[in-house]
Amino acid sequence: MVRLGSRTRQKAMIHVLRQLAGSRRGATAVEYGLIVAVIVITMVAALQGLAGTTTGMWNNVSDKVQSAH
């Protein structure tokens, strides 16, 4: 595998982004990227709510076990 310097990688990435920006495929890729970003943001928000509920449930279990002793 050939290792590229950070400058070379940066130039290569800019080149690819410019090619995508100038083509119809690029527009489609951006649209799909935005859709994925919205899905990920929604998942993170849902998981945060679930985490709070789960933490509350386990705290309740812990309290019940401690009070049983």
Side-chain angles (χ1 to χ4, degrees):
M1 184 173 165
V2 177
R3 291 215 156 196
L4 300 175
S6 63
R7 274 284 200 219
T8 305
R9 273 188 266 136
Q10 187 178 22
K11 285 182 181 180
M13 182 62 81
I14 290 171
H15 176 71
V16 169
L17 291 174
R18 282 187 180 154
Q19 283 182 330
L20 283 174
S23 71
R24 190 167 223 164
R25 285 180 52 199
T28 302
V30 169
E31 290 168 357
Y32 281 128
L34 290 172
I35 291 169
V36 169
V38 168
I39 291 170
V40 168
I41 290 170
T42 304
M43 288 175 60
V44 167
L47 288 174
Q48 284 179 340
L50 180 65
T53 302
T54 304
T55 301
M57 178 192 69
W58 286 112
N59 286 336
N60 186 30
V61 170
S62 174
D63 292 342
K64 299 259 182 188
V65 168
Q66 286 179 0
S67 68
H69 285 140

Short mmCIF file of all heavy atoms in Angstrom, two decimals:
data_model
loop_
_atom_site.label_atom_id
_atom_site.label_comp_id
_atom_site.label_asym_id
_atom_site.label_seq_id
_atom_site.Cartn_x
_atom_site.Cartn_y
_atom_site.Cartn_z
N MET A 1 0.85 -1.18 0.00
CA MET A 1 0.00 0.00 0.00
C MET A 1 0.89 1.24 0.00
O MET A 1 1.84 1.34 0.75
CB MET A 1 -0.89 -0.03 1.23
CG MET A 1 -1.86 1.09 1.28
SD MET A 1 -2.97 0.81 2.67
CE MET A 1 -3.68 2.39 2.79
N VAL A 2 0.55 2.18 -0.82
CA VAL A 2 1.33 3.41 -0.93
C VAL A 2 0.80 4.42 0.09
O VAL A 2 -0.39 4.66 0.18
CB VAL A 2 1.22 4.00 -2.36
CG1 VAL A 2 1.96 5.31 -2.46
CG2 VAL A 2 1.73 3.01 -3.38
N ARG A 3 1.70 4.97 0.86
CA ARG A 3 1.32 6.00 1.83
C ARG A 3 1.43 7.36 1.19
O ARG A 3 2.45 7.69 0.59
CB ARG A 3 2.22 5.93 3.05
CG ARG A 3 1.98 4.68 3.84
CD ARG A 3 2.16 4.98 5.25
NE ARG A 3 1.40 4.00 5.99
CZ ARG A 3 1.09 4.14 7.24
NH1 ARG A 3 1.47 5.21 7.88
NH2 ARG A 3 0.42 3.24 7.86
N LEU A 4 0.40 8.15 1.37
CA LEU A 4 0.40 9.50 0.83
C LEU A 4 0.57 10.48 1.97
O LEU A 4 0.06 10.27 3.08
CB LEU A 4 -0.91 9.78 0.10
CG LEU A 4 -1.26 8.89 -1.09
CD1 LEU A 4 -2.64 9.23 -1.60
CD2 LEU A 4 -0.23 9.02 -2.19
N GLY A 5 1.24 11.58 1.70
CA GLY A 5 1.36 12.63 2.70
C GLY A 5 0.03 13.32 2.90
O GLY A 5 -0.88 13.19 2.08
N SER A 6 -0.09 14.06 3.98
CA SER A 6 -1.38 14.71 4.27
C SER A 6 -1.74 15.73 3.20
O SER A 6 -2.90 15.89 2.85
CB SER A 6 -1.35 15.36 5.65
OG SER A 6 -0.39 16.38 5.69
N ARG A 7 -0.74 16.41 2.64
CA ARG A 7 -1.00 17.38 1.57
C ARG A 7 -1.53 16.68 0.32
O ARG A 7 -2.46 17.14 -0.32
CB ARG A 7 0.29 18.14 1.20
CG ARG A 7 0.55 19.33 2.05
CD ARG A 7 -0.39 20.41 1.59
NE ARG A 7 0.11 21.69 2.02
CZ ARG A 7 -0.67 22.64 2.46
NH1 ARG A 7 -1.96 22.45 2.53
NH2 ARG A 7 -0.18 23.78 2.83
N THR A 8 -0.91 15.55 -0.01
CA THR A 8 -1.33 14.80 -1.19
C THR A 8 -2.74 14.26 -1.01
O THR A 8 -3.56 14.31 -1.93
CB THR A 8 -0.35 13.63 -1.45
OG1 THR A 8 0.97 14.15 -1.54
CG2 THR A 8 -0.68 12.91 -2.73
N ARG A 9 -3.04 13.74 0.18
CA ARG A 9 -4.40 13.25 0.46
C ARG A 9 -5.41 14.38 0.38
O ARG A 9 -6.51 14.21 -0.15
CB ARG A 9 -4.46 12.61 1.85
CG ARG A 9 -4.07 11.16 1.84
CD ARG A 9 -4.31 10.51 3.18
NE ARG A 9 -3.04 10.59 3.89
CZ ARG A 9 -2.88 10.92 5.14
NH1 ARG A 9 -3.90 11.22 5.88
NH2 ARG A 9 -1.70 10.95 5.70
N GLN A 10 -5.03 15.53 0.90
CA GLN A 10 -5.93 16.69 0.88
C GLN A 10 -6.21 17.12 -0.56
O GLN A 10 -7.35 17.37 -0.93
CB GLN A 10 -5.31 17.83 1.66
CG GLN A 10 -6.22 19.01 1.85
CD GLN A 10 -5.57 20.10 2.69
OE1 GLN A 10 -4.35 20.19 2.78
NE2 GLN A 10 -6.39 20.94 3.30
N LYS A 11 -5.17 17.16 -1.39
CA LYS A 11 -5.37 17.54 -2.80
C LYS A 11 -6.22 16.51 -3.52
O LYS A 11 -7.07 16.87 -4.34
CB LYS A 11 -4.01 17.68 -3.49
CG LYS A 11 -3.27 18.93 -3.11
CD LYS A 11 -1.96 19.04 -3.87
CE LYS A 11 -1.21 20.29 -3.48
NZ LYS A 11 0.07 20.40 -4.20
N ALA A 12 -5.99 15.24 -3.23
CA ALA A 12 -6.78 14.19 -3.87
C ALA A 12 -8.25 14.30 -3.47
O ALA A 12 -9.14 14.15 -4.31
CB ALA A 12 -6.23 12.81 -3.50
N MET A 13 -8.50 14.57 -2.20
CA MET A 13 -9.88 14.71 -1.72
C MET A 13 -10.56 15.92 -2.37
O MET A 13 -11.71 15.84 -2.80
CB MET A 13 -9.91 14.85 -0.20
CG MET A 13 -11.30 14.96 0.36
SD MET A 13 -12.32 13.54 0.07
CE MET A 13 -11.76 12.47 1.36
N ILE A 14 -9.86 17.02 -2.46
CA ILE A 14 -10.41 18.21 -3.10
C ILE A 14 -10.73 17.93 -4.56
O ILE A 14 -11.77 18.33 -5.08
CB ILE A 14 -9.45 19.41 -2.95
CG1 ILE A 14 -9.43 19.87 -1.49
CG2 ILE A 14 -9.85 20.56 -3.87
CD1 ILE A 14 -8.38 20.90 -1.17
N HIS A 15 -9.84 17.20 -5.23
CA HIS A 15 -10.05 16.84 -6.63
C HIS A 15 -11.33 16.01 -6.78
O HIS A 15 -12.16 16.28 -7.66
CB HIS A 15 -8.84 16.08 -7.16
CG HIS A 15 -9.00 15.60 -8.57
ND1 HIS A 15 -8.99 16.47 -9.64
CD2 HIS A 15 -9.19 14.37 -9.07
CE1 HIS A 15 -9.17 15.77 -10.75
NE2 HIS A 15 -9.29 14.49 -10.43
N VAL A 16 -11.49 15.01 -5.92
CA VAL A 16 -12.67 14.16 -5.99
C VAL A 16 -13.93 14.98 -5.71
O VAL A 16 -14.94 14.83 -6.39
CB VAL A 16 -12.55 12.99 -4.99
CG1 VAL A 16 -13.87 12.26 -4.83
CG2 VAL A 16 -11.46 12.02 -5.43
N LEU A 17 -13.88 15.84 -4.71
CA LEU A 17 -15.05 16.66 -4.38
C LEU A 17 -15.42 17.60 -5.52
O LEU A 17 -16.61 17.81 -5.79
CB LEU A 17 -14.81 17.45 -3.09
CG LEU A 17 -14.75 16.61 -1.81
CD1 LEU A 17 -14.35 17.48 -0.63
CD2 LEU A 17 -16.06 15.92 -1.56
N ARG A 18 -14.42 18.16 -6.19
CA ARG A 18 -14.71 19.04 -7.33
C ARG A 18 -15.35 18.25 -8.47
O ARG A 18 -16.26 18.75 -9.14
CB ARG A 18 -13.43 19.72 -7.81
CG ARG A 18 -13.04 20.87 -6.93
CD ARG A 18 -11.88 21.64 -7.50
NE ARG A 18 -11.56 22.74 -6.60
CZ ARG A 18 -10.37 23.29 -6.50
NH1 ARG A 18 -9.38 22.85 -7.24
NH2 ARG A 18 -10.17 24.28 -5.67
N GLN A 19 -14.87 17.03 -8.70
CA GLN A 19 -15.46 16.21 -9.75
C GLN A 19 -16.92 15.88 -9.41
O GLN A 19 -17.79 15.93 -10.27
CB GLN A 19 -14.67 14.91 -9.93
CG GLN A 19 -13.39 15.09 -10.71
CD GLN A 19 -12.68 13.77 -10.91
OE1 GLN A 19 -12.79 12.87 -10.10
NE2 GLN A 19 -11.93 13.67 -11.99
N LEU A 20 -17.17 15.54 -8.15
CA LEU A 20 -18.54 15.23 -7.76
C LEU A 20 -19.45 16.44 -7.85
O LEU A 20 -20.60 16.33 -8.25
CB LEU A 20 -18.57 14.68 -6.32
CG LEU A 20 -18.14 13.24 -6.13
CD1 LEU A 20 -18.09 12.91 -4.65
CD2 LEU A 20 -19.05 12.29 -6.86
N ALA A 21 -18.93 17.61 -7.48
CA ALA A 21 -19.73 18.83 -7.52
C ALA A 21 -20.14 19.18 -8.94
O ALA A 21 -21.21 19.76 -9.16
CB ALA A 21 -18.96 19.98 -6.89
N GLY A 22 -19.34 18.81 -9.91
CA GLY A 22 -19.63 19.17 -11.29
C GLY A 22 -20.44 18.13 -12.03
O GLY A 22 -20.73 18.30 -13.21
N SER A 23 -20.84 17.08 -11.38
CA SER A 23 -21.58 16.03 -12.09
C SER A 23 -22.93 15.78 -11.44
O SER A 23 -23.18 16.16 -10.31
CB SER A 23 -20.77 14.73 -12.10
OG SER A 23 -20.75 14.16 -10.81
N ARG A 24 -23.76 15.11 -12.16
CA ARG A 24 -25.09 14.76 -11.64
C ARG A 24 -24.96 13.71 -10.54
O ARG A 24 -25.72 13.69 -9.58
CB ARG A 24 -25.94 14.24 -12.79
CG ARG A 24 -27.36 14.07 -12.42
CD ARG A 24 -28.21 13.87 -13.63
NE ARG A 24 -29.38 14.70 -13.41
CZ ARG A 24 -30.22 15.05 -14.32
NH1 ARG A 24 -30.02 14.69 -15.55
NH2 ARG A 24 -31.26 15.78 -14.04
N ARG A 25 -23.97 12.83 -10.69
CA ARG A 25 -23.72 11.82 -9.67
C ARG A 25 -23.35 12.49 -8.34
O ARG A 25 -23.70 12.00 -7.28
CB ARG A 25 -22.59 10.88 -10.09
CG ARG A 25 -23.02 9.88 -11.14
CD ARG A 25 -21.89 8.97 -11.54
NE ARG A 25 -21.28 8.35 -10.37
CZ ARG A 25 -20.09 7.81 -10.35
NH1 ARG A 25 -19.34 7.82 -11.44
NH2 ARG A 25 -19.62 7.25 -9.26
N GLY A 26 -22.64 13.60 -8.46
CA GLY A 26 -22.26 14.33 -7.25
C GLY A 26 -23.47 14.86 -6.51
O GLY A 26 -23.55 14.79 -5.28
N ALA A 27 -24.42 15.39 -7.27
CA ALA A 27 -25.64 15.90 -6.64
C ALA A 27 -26.40 14.78 -5.97
O ALA A 27 -26.92 14.94 -4.86
CB ALA A 27 -26.50 16.59 -7.69
N THR A 28 -26.47 13.63 -6.62
CA THR A 28 -27.15 12.48 -6.04
C THR A 28 -26.43 12.01 -4.79
O THR A 28 -27.08 11.69 -3.78
CB THR A 28 -27.22 11.33 -7.07
OG1 THR A 28 -27.90 11.81 -8.23
CG2 THR A 28 -27.98 10.15 -6.51
N ALA A 29 -25.10 12.00 -4.83
CA ALA A 29 -24.32 11.58 -3.65
C ALA A 29 -24.57 12.53 -2.48
O ALA A 29 -24.70 12.09 -1.34
CB ALA A 29 -22.85 11.52 -4.00
N VAL A 30 -24.64 13.81 -2.77
CA VAL A 30 -24.90 14.80 -1.71
C VAL A 30 -26.30 14.58 -1.13
O VAL A 30 -26.48 14.62 0.10
CB VAL A 30 -24.74 16.23 -2.24
CG1 VAL A 30 -25.26 17.25 -1.25
CG2 VAL A 30 -23.28 16.51 -2.57
N GLU A 31 -27.27 14.33 -1.97
CA GLU A 31 -28.63 14.09 -1.49
C GLU A 31 -28.68 12.86 -0.60
O GLU A 31 -29.29 12.89 0.48
CB GLU A 31 -29.58 13.92 -2.68
CG GLU A 31 -29.83 15.21 -3.43
CD GLU A 31 -30.52 14.99 -4.77
OE1 GLU A 31 -30.77 13.83 -5.14
OE2 GLU A 31 -30.82 15.99 -5.42
N TYR A 32 -28.04 11.79 -1.03
CA TYR A 32 -28.01 10.58 -0.21
C TYR A 32 -27.26 10.84 1.10
O TYR A 32 -27.66 10.34 2.16
CB TYR A 32 -27.36 9.41 -0.95
CG TYR A 32 -28.28 8.74 -1.94
CD1 TYR A 32 -27.89 8.55 -3.25
CD2 TYR A 32 -29.55 8.31 -1.56
CE1 TYR A 32 -28.73 7.92 -4.15
CE2 TYR A 32 -30.39 7.70 -2.46
CZ TYR A 32 -29.98 7.50 -3.76
OH TYR A 32 -30.81 6.90 -4.65
N GLY A 33 -26.21 11.62 1.05
CA GLY A 33 -25.47 11.98 2.26
C GLY A 33 -26.34 12.73 3.24
O GLY A 33 -26.29 12.49 4.46
N LEU A 34 -27.15 13.66 2.74
CA LEU A 34 -28.06 14.41 3.60
C LEU A 34 -29.14 13.51 4.21
O LEU A 34 -29.48 13.65 5.39
CB LEU A 34 -28.71 15.56 2.83
CG LEU A 34 -27.77 16.70 2.44
CD1 LEU A 34 -28.48 17.67 1.51
CD2 LEU A 34 -27.26 17.41 3.68
N ILE A 35 -29.63 12.58 3.42
CA ILE A 35 -30.64 11.64 3.94
C ILE A 35 -30.03 10.80 5.05
O ILE A 35 -30.65 10.61 6.11
CB ILE A 35 -31.19 10.75 2.80
CG1 ILE A 35 -32.03 11.59 1.84
CG2 ILE A 35 -31.99 9.57 3.35
CD1 ILE A 35 -32.39 10.89 0.55
N VAL A 36 -28.82 10.30 4.83
CA VAL A 36 -28.15 9.49 5.85
C VAL A 36 -27.91 10.33 7.11
O VAL A 36 -28.10 9.85 8.23
CB VAL A 36 -26.83 8.90 5.30
CG1 VAL A 36 -25.99 8.31 6.41
CG2 VAL A 36 -27.12 7.86 4.24
N ALA A 37 -27.51 11.59 6.94
CA ALA A 37 -27.26 12.46 8.09
C ALA A 37 -28.54 12.65 8.91
O ALA A 37 -28.50 12.60 10.15
CB ALA A 37 -26.72 13.81 7.63
N VAL A 38 -29.67 12.85 8.26
CA VAL A 38 -30.94 13.02 8.97
C VAL A 38 -31.31 11.74 9.71
O VAL A 38 -31.76 11.78 10.87
CB VAL A 38 -32.07 13.44 8.00
CG1 VAL A 38 -33.43 13.35 8.65
CG2 VAL A 38 -31.82 14.84 7.48
N ILE A 39 -31.10 10.60 9.07
CA ILE A 39 -31.39 9.32 9.72
C ILE A 39 -30.51 9.13 10.96
O ILE A 39 -30.99 8.72 12.02
CB ILE A 39 -31.22 8.15 8.73
CG1 ILE A 39 -32.33 8.20 7.67
CG2 ILE A 39 -31.22 6.80 9.45
CD1 ILE A 39 -32.13 7.26 6.50
N VAL A 40 -29.23 9.44 10.84
CA VAL A 40 -28.31 9.28 11.96
C VAL A 40 -28.69 10.21 13.11
O VAL A 40 -28.71 9.80 14.28
CB VAL A 40 -26.85 9.52 11.52
CG1 VAL A 40 -25.92 9.65 12.70
CG2 VAL A 40 -26.39 8.39 10.61
N ILE A 41 -29.03 11.45 12.81
CA ILE A 41 -29.43 12.41 13.85
C ILE A 41 -30.69 11.90 14.57
O ILE A 41 -30.79 11.97 15.80
CB ILE A 41 -29.65 13.81 13.25
CG1 ILE A 41 -28.29 14.40 12.84
CG2 ILE A 41 -30.37 14.72 14.23
CD1 ILE A 41 -28.40 15.66 12.02
N THR A 42 -31.63 11.37 13.81
CA THR A 42 -32.86 10.83 14.40
C THR A 42 -32.55 9.64 15.30
O THR A 42 -33.10 9.52 16.40
CB THR A 42 -33.84 10.42 13.28
OG1 THR A 42 -34.09 11.55 12.44
CG2 THR A 42 -35.15 9.91 13.86
N MET A 43 -31.65 8.77 14.83
CA MET A 43 -31.28 7.60 15.64
C MET A 43 -30.60 8.01 16.94
O MET A 43 -30.88 7.45 18.00
CB MET A 43 -30.37 6.68 14.83
CG MET A 43 -31.07 5.93 13.73
SD MET A 43 -29.96 4.96 12.69
CE MET A 43 -29.25 3.86 13.88
N VAL A 44 -29.72 9.00 16.87
CA VAL A 44 -29.02 9.46 18.08
C VAL A 44 -30.04 10.03 19.07
O VAL A 44 -29.98 9.73 20.27
CB VAL A 44 -27.94 10.50 17.72
CG1 VAL A 44 -27.43 11.22 18.95
CG2 VAL A 44 -26.79 9.83 16.99
N ALA A 45 -30.97 10.82 18.59
CA ALA A 45 -31.99 11.39 19.48
C ALA A 45 -32.84 10.29 20.12
O ALA A 45 -33.13 10.34 21.32
CB ALA A 45 -32.87 12.36 18.70
N ALA A 46 -33.22 9.30 19.32
CA ALA A 46 -34.03 8.20 19.86
C ALA A 46 -33.24 7.39 20.88
O ALA A 46 -33.78 7.00 21.93
CB ALA A 46 -34.50 7.30 18.72
N LEU A 47 -31.98 7.15 20.61
CA LEU A 47 -31.16 6.37 21.54
C LEU A 47 -30.92 7.12 22.84
O LEU A 47 -30.80 6.52 23.90
CB LEU A 47 -29.84 5.97 20.88
CG LEU A 47 -29.96 4.88 19.81
CD1 LEU A 47 -28.63 4.67 19.11
CD2 LEU A 47 -30.46 3.59 20.41
N GLN A 48 -30.82 8.43 22.77
CA GLN A 48 -30.65 9.22 24.00
C GLN A 48 -31.89 9.09 24.88
O GLN A 48 -31.79 8.94 26.10
CB GLN A 48 -30.38 10.68 23.68
CG GLN A 48 -28.97 10.93 23.21
CD GLN A 48 -28.72 12.40 22.88
OE1 GLN A 48 -29.66 13.16 22.64
NE2 GLN A 48 -27.46 12.78 22.86
N GLY A 49 -33.06 9.13 24.28
CA GLY A 49 -34.29 8.94 25.04
C GLY A 49 -34.37 7.55 25.63
O GLY A 49 -34.76 7.36 26.79
N LEU A 50 -33.99 6.56 24.85
CA LEU A 50 -33.99 5.18 25.32
C LEU A 50 -32.99 4.98 26.45
O LEU A 50 -33.26 4.27 27.41
CB LEU A 50 -33.67 4.23 24.16
CG LEU A 50 -33.65 2.74 24.49
CD1 LEU A 50 -35.04 2.28 24.90
CD2 LEU A 50 -33.14 1.95 23.30
N ALA A 51 -31.85 5.64 26.35
CA ALA A 51 -30.82 5.52 27.39
C ALA A 51 -31.35 6.04 28.72
O ALA A 51 -31.10 5.44 29.77
CB ALA A 51 -29.56 6.27 26.98
N GLY A 52 -32.06 7.15 28.68
CA GLY A 52 -32.63 7.70 29.92
C GLY A 52 -33.64 6.75 30.54
O GLY A 52 -33.64 6.53 31.75
N THR A 53 -34.48 6.16 29.71
CA THR A 53 -35.48 5.21 30.20
C THR A 53 -34.81 3.97 30.78
O THR A 53 -35.19 3.49 31.85
CB THR A 53 -36.43 4.80 29.05
OG1 THR A 53 -37.04 5.97 28.53
CG2 THR A 53 -37.48 3.83 29.52
N THR A 54 -33.81 3.46 30.08
CA THR A 54 -33.11 2.26 30.54
C THR A 54 -32.36 2.52 31.84
O THR A 54 -32.39 1.69 32.75
CB THR A 54 -32.12 1.79 29.45
OG1 THR A 54 -32.84 1.58 28.24
CG2 THR A 54 -31.44 0.50 29.85
N THR A 55 -31.73 3.67 31.95
CA THR A 55 -31.04 4.01 33.19
C THR A 55 -32.02 4.08 34.36
O THR A 55 -31.74 3.57 35.44
CB THR A 55 -30.29 5.36 33.03
OG1 THR A 55 -29.37 5.26 31.96
CG2 THR A 55 -29.56 5.74 34.30
N GLY A 56 -33.15 4.69 34.14
CA GLY A 56 -34.18 4.75 35.17
C GLY A 56 -34.65 3.37 35.59
O GLY A 56 -34.84 3.09 36.78
N MET A 57 -34.82 2.48 34.62
CA MET A 57 -35.26 1.12 34.92
C MET A 57 -34.23 0.40 35.78
O MET A 57 -34.58 -0.23 36.79
CB MET A 57 -35.48 0.34 33.62
CG MET A 57 -35.91 -1.11 33.85
SD MET A 57 -35.84 -2.11 32.36
CE MET A 57 -34.08 -2.20 32.09
N TRP A 58 -32.96 0.49 35.41
CA TRP A 58 -31.93 -0.21 36.18
C TRP A 58 -31.73 0.41 37.55
O TRP A 58 -31.42 -0.30 38.52
CB TRP A 58 -30.61 -0.25 35.41
CG TRP A 58 -30.67 -1.23 34.27
CD1 TRP A 58 -30.66 -0.96 32.95
CD2 TRP A 58 -30.80 -2.66 34.38
NE1 TRP A 58 -30.78 -2.12 32.22
CE2 TRP A 58 -30.86 -3.18 33.07
CE3 TRP A 58 -30.89 -3.54 35.45
CZ2 TRP A 58 -30.99 -4.53 32.82
CZ3 TRP A 58 -31.02 -4.90 35.20
CH2 TRP A 58 -31.06 -5.38 33.89
N ASN A 59 -31.91 1.71 37.67
CA ASN A 59 -31.86 2.34 38.99
C ASN A 59 -33.00 1.81 39.87
O ASN A 59 -32.80 1.57 41.07
CB ASN A 59 -31.92 3.86 38.89
CG ASN A 59 -30.63 4.45 38.39
OD1 ASN A 59 -29.56 3.87 38.52
ND2 ASN A 59 -30.72 5.63 37.80
N ASN A 60 -34.16 1.64 39.29
CA ASN A 60 -35.30 1.08 40.01
C ASN A 60 -35.01 -0.34 40.48
O ASN A 60 -35.29 -0.71 41.63
CB ASN A 60 -36.56 1.12 39.14
CG ASN A 60 -37.80 0.71 39.88
OD1 ASN A 60 -37.91 0.90 41.09
ND2 ASN A 60 -38.74 0.13 39.15
N VAL A 61 -34.44 -1.15 39.60
CA VAL A 61 -34.08 -2.52 39.96
C VAL A 61 -33.06 -2.51 41.09
O VAL A 61 -33.18 -3.26 42.07
CB VAL A 61 -33.51 -3.28 38.73
CG1 VAL A 61 -32.89 -4.62 39.13
CG2 VAL A 61 -34.61 -3.50 37.69
N SER A 62 -32.07 -1.64 41.00
CA SER A 62 -31.04 -1.54 42.03
C SER A 62 -31.65 -1.16 43.38
O SER A 62 -31.31 -1.73 44.42
CB SER A 62 -29.99 -0.51 41.62
OG SER A 62 -29.07 -0.29 42.66
N ASP A 63 -32.56 -0.19 43.36
CA ASP A 63 -33.22 0.23 44.60
C ASP A 63 -34.02 -0.92 45.23
O ASP A 63 -33.99 -1.13 46.44
CB ASP A 63 -34.14 1.43 44.35
CG ASP A 63 -33.38 2.69 43.98
OD1 ASP A 63 -32.16 2.74 44.25
OD2 ASP A 63 -34.01 3.61 43.41
N LYS A 64 -34.73 -1.68 44.39
CA LYS A 64 -35.53 -2.79 44.90
C LYS A 64 -34.64 -3.87 45.49
O LYS A 64 -34.97 -4.45 46.54
CB LYS A 64 -36.38 -3.39 43.77
CG LYS A 64 -37.34 -2.44 43.15
CD LYS A 64 -38.72 -2.64 43.66
CE LYS A 64 -39.59 -1.66 42.91
NZ LYS A 64 -40.91 -1.59 43.39
N VAL A 65 -33.51 -4.16 44.86
CA VAL A 65 -32.60 -5.19 45.36
C VAL A 65 -32.00 -4.73 46.69
O VAL A 65 -31.89 -5.52 47.64
CB VAL A 65 -31.49 -5.50 44.32
CG1 VAL A 65 -30.39 -6.34 44.93
CG2 VAL A 65 -32.08 -6.19 43.10
N GLN A 66 -31.62 -3.47 46.78
CA GLN A 66 -31.02 -2.98 48.01
C GLN A 66 -32.05 -2.95 49.15
O GLN A 66 -31.71 -3.24 50.29
CB GLN A 66 -30.45 -1.58 47.79
CG GLN A 66 -29.16 -1.58 47.00
CD GLN A 66 -28.62 -0.19 46.76
OE1 GLN A 66 -29.21 0.79 47.19
NE2 GLN A 66 -27.49 -0.12 46.06
N SER A 67 -33.28 -2.63 48.84
CA SER A 67 -34.30 -2.59 49.90
C SER A 67 -34.72 -4.00 50.33
O SER A 67 -35.24 -4.17 51.43
CB SER A 67 -35.51 -1.79 49.44
OG SER A 67 -36.19 -2.46 48.40
N ALA A 68 -34.47 -5.00 49.49
CA ALA A 68 -34.82 -6.38 49.82
C ALA A 68 -33.84 -6.96 50.86
O ALA A 68 -34.17 -7.93 51.53
CB ALA A 68 -34.82 -7.24 48.57
N HIS A 69 -32.67 -6.38 50.95
CA HIS A 69 -31.69 -6.90 51.92
C HIS A 69 -31.97 -6.39 53.24
O HIS A 69 -32.07 -5.88 54.07
CB HIS A 69 -30.26 -6.56 51.50
CG HIS A 69 -29.80 -7.42 50.36
ND1 HIS A 69 -29.06 -6.93 49.33
CD2 HIS A 69 -29.96 -8.72 50.09
CE1 HIS A 69 -28.79 -7.90 48.49
NE2 HIS A 69 -29.33 -9.01 48.93
#
